[in-house]
PDB file of all heavy atoms in Angstrom:
ATOM      1  N   VAL A 346       3.922  25.918  46.866  1.00  0.00           N
ATOM      2  CA  VAL A 346       2.851  25.309  47.346  1.00  0.00           C
ATOM      3  C   VAL A 346       1.566  25.122  46.315  1.00  0.00           C
ATOM      4  O   VAL A 346       1.405  26.083  45.625  1.00  0.00           O
ATOM      5  CB  VAL A 346       2.184  25.968  48.647  1.00  0.00           C
ATOM      6  CG1 VAL A 346       0.965  25.412  49.197  1.00  0.00           C
ATOM      7  CG2 VAL A 346       3.317  26.165  49.690  1.00  0.00           C
ATOM      8  N   GLN A 347       1.179  23.901  46.193  1.00  0.00           N
ATOM      9  CA  GLN A 347       0.048  23.761  45.248  1.00  0.00           C
ATOM     10  C   GLN A 347      -1.282  24.219  45.794  1.00  0.00           C
ATOM     11  O   GLN A 347      -1.605  24.070  47.034  1.00  0.00           O
ATOM     12  CB  GLN A 347      -0.178  22.235  44.967  1.00  0.00           C
ATOM     13  CG  GLN A 347       1.199  21.654  44.117  1.00  0.00           C
ATOM     14  CD  GLN A 347       0.890  20.384  43.536  1.00  0.00           C
ATOM     15  OE1 GLN A 347      -0.015  19.644  44.009  1.00  0.00           O
ATOM     16  NE2 GLN A 347       1.729  19.878  42.578  1.00  0.00           N
ATOM     17  N   VAL A 348      -2.076  24.757  45.002  1.00  0.00           N
ATOM     18  CA  VAL A 348      -3.429  25.406  45.382  1.00  0.00           C
ATOM     19  C   VAL A 348      -4.422  24.699  44.499  1.00  0.00           C
ATOM     20  O   VAL A 348      -4.236  24.375  43.263  1.00  0.00           O
ATOM     21  CB  VAL A 348      -3.428  26.775  45.101  1.00  0.00           C
ATOM     22  CG1 VAL A 348      -4.805  27.459  45.310  1.00  0.00           C
ATOM     23  CG2 VAL A 348      -2.302  27.594  45.743  1.00  0.00           C
ATOM     24  N   ASP A 349      -5.481  24.219  45.125  1.00  0.00           N
ATOM     25  CA  ASP A 349      -6.668  23.621  44.430  1.00  0.00           C
ATOM     26  C   ASP A 349      -7.945  23.856  45.346  1.00  0.00           C
ATOM     27  O   ASP A 349      -7.979  23.288  46.405  1.00  0.00           O
ATOM     28  CB  ASP A 349      -6.373  22.209  44.173  1.00  0.00           C
ATOM     29  CG  ASP A 349      -7.397  21.688  42.987  1.00  0.00           C
ATOM     30  OD1 ASP A 349      -8.271  22.407  42.615  1.00  0.00           O
ATOM     31  OD2 ASP A 349      -7.096  20.524  42.500  1.00  0.00           O
ATOM     32  N   TYR A 350      -8.814  24.634  44.936  1.00  0.00           N
ATOM     33  CA  TYR A 350      -9.962  25.191  45.760  1.00  0.00           C
ATOM     34  C   TYR A 350     -11.088  25.445  44.844  1.00  0.00           C
ATOM     35  O   TYR A 350     -10.801  26.043  43.734  1.00  0.00           O
ATOM     36  CB  TYR A 350      -9.385  26.437  46.543  1.00  0.00           C
ATOM     37  CG  TYR A 350     -10.470  27.065  47.373  1.00  0.00           C
ATOM     38  CD1 TYR A 350     -10.690  26.607  48.807  1.00  0.00           C
ATOM     39  CD2 TYR A 350     -11.359  28.085  46.899  1.00  0.00           C
ATOM     40  CE1 TYR A 350     -11.630  27.272  49.612  1.00  0.00           C
ATOM     41  CE2 TYR A 350     -12.237  28.630  47.739  1.00  0.00           C
ATOM     42  CZ  TYR A 350     -12.449  28.309  48.957  1.00  0.00           C
ATOM     43  OH  TYR A 350     -13.373  28.838  49.932  1.00  0.00           O
ATOM     44  N   GLU A 351     -12.363  25.142  45.367  1.00  0.00           N
ATOM     45  CA  GLU A 351     -13.443  25.503  44.595  1.00  0.00           C
ATOM     46  C   GLU A 351     -14.596  26.025  45.521  1.00  0.00           C
ATOM     47  O   GLU A 351     -14.789  25.469  46.611  1.00  0.00           O
ATOM     48  CB  GLU A 351     -13.983  24.281  43.901  1.00  0.00           C
ATOM     49  CG  GLU A 351     -15.005  24.600  42.787  1.00  0.00           C
ATOM     50  CD  GLU A 351     -15.368  23.499  41.885  1.00  0.00           C
ATOM     51  OE1 GLU A 351     -14.586  22.534  41.833  1.00  0.00           O
ATOM     52  OE2 GLU A 351     -16.283  23.703  41.080  1.00  0.00           O
ATOM     53  N   ARG A 352     -15.233  27.130  45.054  1.00  0.00           N
ATOM     54  CA  ARG A 352     -16.303  27.609  45.902  1.00  0.00           C
ATOM     55  C   ARG A 352     -17.229  28.441  44.898  1.00  0.00           C
ATOM     56  O   ARG A 352     -16.772  29.210  44.081  1.00  0.00           O
ATOM     57  CB  ARG A 352     -15.795  28.636  46.879  1.00  0.00           C
ATOM     58  CG  ARG A 352     -16.670  29.455  47.624  1.00  0.00           C
ATOM     59  CD  ARG A 352     -16.094  30.408  48.546  1.00  0.00           C
ATOM     60  NE  ARG A 352     -17.053  31.396  49.192  1.00  0.00           N
ATOM     61  CZ  ARG A 352     -16.794  32.321  49.988  1.00  0.00           C
ATOM     62  NH1 ARG A 352     -15.533  32.442  50.403  1.00  0.00           N
ATOM     63  NH2 ARG A 352     -17.570  33.126  50.492  1.00  0.00           N
ATOM     64  N   ASP A 353     -18.569  28.307  45.094  1.00  0.00           N
ATOM     65  CA  ASP A 353     -19.547  28.969  44.297  1.00  0.00           C
ATOM     66  C   ASP A 353     -19.282  28.835  42.850  1.00  0.00           C
ATOM     67  O   ASP A 353     -19.261  29.836  42.085  1.00  0.00           O
ATOM     68  CB  ASP A 353     -19.587  30.372  44.784  1.00  0.00           C
ATOM     69  CG  ASP A 353     -20.052  30.579  46.173  1.00  0.00           C
ATOM     70  OD1 ASP A 353     -20.777  29.720  46.663  1.00  0.00           O
ATOM     71  OD2 ASP A 353     -19.803  31.517  46.698  1.00  0.00           O
ATOM     72  N   ASN A 354     -18.943  27.690  42.373  1.00  0.00           N
ATOM     73  CA  ASN A 354     -18.696  27.395  40.930  1.00  0.00           C
ATOM     74  C   ASN A 354     -17.483  28.250  40.377  1.00  0.00           C
ATOM     75  O   ASN A 354     -17.316  28.568  39.179  1.00  0.00           O
ATOM     76  CB  ASN A 354     -19.900  27.728  40.070  1.00  0.00           C
ATOM     77  CG  ASN A 354     -20.966  26.704  40.281  1.00  0.00           C
ATOM     78  OD1 ASN A 354     -20.721  25.511  40.543  1.00  0.00           O
ATOM     79  ND2 ASN A 354     -22.261  27.231  40.305  1.00  0.00           N
ATOM     80  N   ILE A 355     -16.546  28.583  41.350  1.00  0.00           N
ATOM     81  CA  ILE A 355     -15.373  29.293  40.975  1.00  0.00           C
ATOM     82  C   ILE A 355     -14.191  28.385  41.345  1.00  0.00           C
ATOM     83  O   ILE A 355     -14.070  28.036  42.654  1.00  0.00           O
ATOM     84  CB  ILE A 355     -15.185  30.639  41.521  1.00  0.00           C
ATOM     85  CG1 ILE A 355     -16.336  31.473  41.119  1.00  0.00           C
ATOM     86  CG2 ILE A 355     -13.902  31.347  41.265  1.00  0.00           C
ATOM     87  CD1 ILE A 355     -16.324  32.896  41.784  1.00  0.00           C
ATOM     88  N   ARG A 356     -13.350  27.945  40.529  1.00  0.00           N
ATOM     89  CA  ARG A 356     -12.203  27.086  40.937  1.00  0.00           C
ATOM     90  C   ARG A 356     -10.935  27.792  40.745  1.00  0.00           C
ATOM     91  O   ARG A 356     -10.772  28.656  39.781  1.00  0.00           O
ATOM     92  CB  ARG A 356     -12.153  25.816  39.975  1.00  0.00           C
ATOM     93  CG  ARG A 356     -11.051  24.922  40.410  1.00  0.00           C
ATOM     94  CD  ARG A 356     -10.783  23.699  39.408  1.00  0.00           C
ATOM     95  NE  ARG A 356      -9.643  22.966  39.897  1.00  0.00           N
ATOM     96  CZ  ARG A 356      -8.943  22.230  38.948  1.00  0.00           C
ATOM     97  NH1 ARG A 356      -9.221  22.149  37.676  1.00  0.00           N
ATOM     98  NH2 ARG A 356      -7.850  21.570  39.361  1.00  0.00           N
ATOM     99  N   VAL A 357     -10.081  27.683  41.717  1.00  0.00           N
ATOM    100  CA  VAL A 357      -8.732  28.360  41.823  1.00  0.00           C
ATOM    101  C   VAL A 357      -7.726  27.322  41.993  1.00  0.00           C
ATOM    102  O   VAL A 357      -7.748  26.455  42.958  1.00  0.00           O
ATOM    103  CB  VAL A 357      -8.632  29.478  42.993  1.00  0.00           C
ATOM    104  CG1 VAL A 357      -7.370  30.139  42.895  1.00  0.00           C
ATOM    105  CG2 VAL A 357      -9.746  30.429  42.836  1.00  0.00           C
ATOM    106  N   TRP A 358      -6.669  27.193  41.177  1.00  0.00           N
ATOM    107  CA  TRP A 358      -5.599  26.276  41.231  1.00  0.00           C
ATOM    108  C   TRP A 358      -4.357  26.860  40.730  1.00  0.00           C
ATOM    109  O   TRP A 358      -4.293  27.975  40.137  1.00  0.00           O
ATOM    110  CB  TRP A 358      -6.005  24.923  40.539  1.00  0.00           C
ATOM    111  CG  TRP A 358      -5.967  24.960  39.055  1.00  0.00           C
ATOM    112  CD1 TRP A 358      -4.869  24.433  38.317  1.00  0.00           C
ATOM    113  CD2 TRP A 358      -6.858  25.434  38.131  1.00  0.00           C
ATOM    114  NE1 TRP A 358      -5.068  24.646  36.949  1.00  0.00           N
ATOM    115  CE2 TRP A 358      -6.352  25.204  36.769  1.00  0.00           C
ATOM    116  CE3 TRP A 358      -8.111  26.148  38.240  1.00  0.00           C
ATOM    117  CZ2 TRP A 358      -7.041  25.569  35.702  1.00  0.00           C
ATOM    118  CZ3 TRP A 358      -8.789  26.391  37.166  1.00  0.00           C
ATOM    119  CH2 TRP A 358      -8.179  26.214  35.904  1.00  0.00           C
ATOM    120  N   GLY A 359      -3.194  26.212  41.123  1.00  0.00           N
ATOM    121  CA  GLY A 359      -1.936  26.687  40.649  1.00  0.00           C
ATOM    122  C   GLY A 359      -0.802  26.401  41.647  1.00  0.00           C
ATOM    123  O   GLY A 359      -0.853  25.535  42.554  1.00  0.00           O
ATOM    124  N   LEU A 360       0.034  27.256  41.630  1.00  0.00           N
ATOM    125  CA  LEU A 360       1.294  27.440  42.595  1.00  0.00           C
ATOM    126  C   LEU A 360       1.425  28.716  43.176  1.00  0.00           C
ATOM    127  O   LEU A 360       1.309  29.662  42.570  1.00  0.00           O
ATOM    128  CB  LEU A 360       2.579  26.904  41.813  1.00  0.00           C
ATOM    129  CG  LEU A 360       2.511  25.446  41.243  1.00  0.00           C
ATOM    130  CD1 LEU A 360       3.879  25.316  40.313  1.00  0.00           C
ATOM    131  CD2 LEU A 360       2.594  24.317  42.276  1.00  0.00           C
ATOM    132  N   ILE A 361       1.968  28.711  44.522  1.00  0.00           N
ATOM    133  CA  ILE A 361       2.235  29.921  45.171  1.00  0.00           C
ATOM    134  C   ILE A 361       3.480  29.663  45.962  1.00  0.00           C
ATOM    135  O   ILE A 361       3.658  28.646  46.354  1.00  0.00           O
ATOM    136  CB  ILE A 361       1.088  30.461  46.183  1.00  0.00           C
ATOM    137  CG1 ILE A 361       0.744  29.217  47.081  1.00  0.00           C
ATOM    138  CG2 ILE A 361      -0.013  30.828  45.267  1.00  0.00           C
ATOM    139  CD1 ILE A 361      -0.271  29.654  48.275  1.00  0.00           C
ATOM    140  N   ALA A 362       4.268  30.749  46.155  1.00  0.00           N
ATOM    141  CA  ALA A 362       5.470  30.738  46.883  1.00  0.00           C
ATOM    142  C   ALA A 362       5.239  30.894  48.340  1.00  0.00           C
ATOM    143  O   ALA A 362       4.301  31.437  48.813  1.00  0.00           O
ATOM    144  CB  ALA A 362       6.404  31.844  46.467  1.00  0.00           C
ATOM    145  N   PRO A 363       5.964  30.202  49.269  1.00  0.00           N
ATOM    146  CA  PRO A 363       5.869  30.425  50.714  1.00  0.00           C
ATOM    147  C   PRO A 363       6.084  31.702  51.156  1.00  0.00           C
ATOM    148  O   PRO A 363       6.814  32.410  50.349  1.00  0.00           O
ATOM    149  CB  PRO A 363       6.839  29.288  51.390  1.00  0.00           C
ATOM    150  CG  PRO A 363       7.808  29.033  50.135  1.00  0.00           C
ATOM    151  CD  PRO A 363       7.150  29.214  48.832  1.00  0.00           C
ATOM    152  N   PRO A 364       5.632  32.227  52.239  1.00  0.00           N
ATOM    153  CA  PRO A 364       5.810  33.647  52.607  1.00  0.00           C
ATOM    154  C   PRO A 364       7.368  34.090  52.697  1.00  0.00           C
ATOM    155  O   PRO A 364       7.596  35.180  52.570  1.00  0.00           O
ATOM    156  CB  PRO A 364       5.041  33.745  53.991  1.00  0.00           C
ATOM    157  CG  PRO A 364       4.172  32.593  53.911  1.00  0.00           C
ATOM    158  CD  PRO A 364       4.779  31.573  53.122  1.00  0.00           C
ATOM    159  N   HIS A 365       8.211  33.146  53.089  1.00  0.00           N
ATOM    160  CA  HIS A 365       9.572  33.642  53.187  1.00  0.00           C
ATOM    161  C   HIS A 365      10.409  33.815  51.921  1.00  0.00           C
ATOM    162  O   HIS A 365      11.491  34.080  51.887  1.00  0.00           O
ATOM    163  CB  HIS A 365      10.331  32.658  54.134  1.00  0.00           C
ATOM    164  CG  HIS A 365      10.519  31.311  53.587  1.00  0.00           C
ATOM    165  ND1 HIS A 365       9.524  30.335  53.800  1.00  0.00           N
ATOM    166  CD2 HIS A 365      11.454  30.775  52.790  1.00  0.00           C
ATOM    167  CE1 HIS A 365       9.984  29.154  53.196  1.00  0.00           C
ATOM    168  NE2 HIS A 365      11.022  29.392  52.673  1.00  0.00           N
ATOM    169  N   GLN A 366       9.705  33.389  50.802  1.00  0.00           N
ATOM    170  CA  GLN A 366      10.436  33.519  49.423  1.00  0.00           C
ATOM    171  C   GLN A 366       9.578  34.565  48.681  1.00  0.00           C
ATOM    172  O   GLN A 366       8.592  34.291  48.061  1.00  0.00           O
ATOM    173  CB  GLN A 366      10.393  32.211  48.675  1.00  0.00           C
ATOM    174  CG  GLN A 366      11.153  31.034  49.317  1.00  0.00           C
ATOM    175  CD  GLN A 366      11.159  29.718  48.657  1.00  0.00           C
ATOM    176  OE1 GLN A 366      10.435  29.677  47.468  1.00  0.00           O
ATOM    177  NE2 GLN A 366      11.751  28.754  49.023  1.00  0.00           N
ATOM    178  N   THR A 367      10.159  35.708  48.673  1.00  0.00           N
ATOM    179  CA  THR A 367       9.513  36.931  48.037  1.00  0.00           C
ATOM    180  C   THR A 367      10.391  37.597  47.199  1.00  0.00           C
ATOM    181  O   THR A 367      11.650  37.324  47.106  1.00  0.00           O
ATOM    182  CB  THR A 367       9.064  37.902  49.113  1.00  0.00           C
ATOM    183  OG1 THR A 367      10.169  38.321  49.928  1.00  0.00           O
ATOM    184  CG2 THR A 367       7.946  37.288  50.023  1.00  0.00           C
ATOM    185  N   ARG A 368       9.843  38.435  46.364  1.00  0.00           N
ATOM    186  CA  ARG A 368      10.533  39.067  45.207  1.00  0.00           C
ATOM    187  C   ARG A 368      10.308  40.623  45.430  1.00  0.00           C
ATOM    188  O   ARG A 368       9.361  41.163  45.989  1.00  0.00           O
ATOM    189  CB  ARG A 368      10.211  38.688  43.941  1.00  0.00           C
ATOM    190  CG  ARG A 368      10.328  37.218  43.647  1.00  0.00           C
ATOM    191  CD  ARG A 368      11.698  36.952  42.994  1.00  0.00           C
ATOM    192  NE  ARG A 368      11.827  35.528  42.692  1.00  0.00           N
ATOM    193  CZ  ARG A 368      12.835  35.055  41.925  1.00  0.00           C
ATOM    194  NH1 ARG A 368      13.603  35.971  41.277  1.00  0.00           N
ATOM    195  NH2 ARG A 368      13.005  33.814  41.745  1.00  0.00           N
TER     196      ARG A 368
END
Side-chain angles (χ1 to χ4, degrees):
V346 177
Q347 291 191 344
V348 178
D349 199 348
Y350 177 89
E351 188 166 357
R352 171 183 172 181
D353 297 336
N354 295 321
I355 300 173
R356 185 187 173 207
V357 181
W358 75 100
L360 297 171
I361 55 175
H365 65 271
Q366 293 181 2
T367 56
R368 299 271 181 164

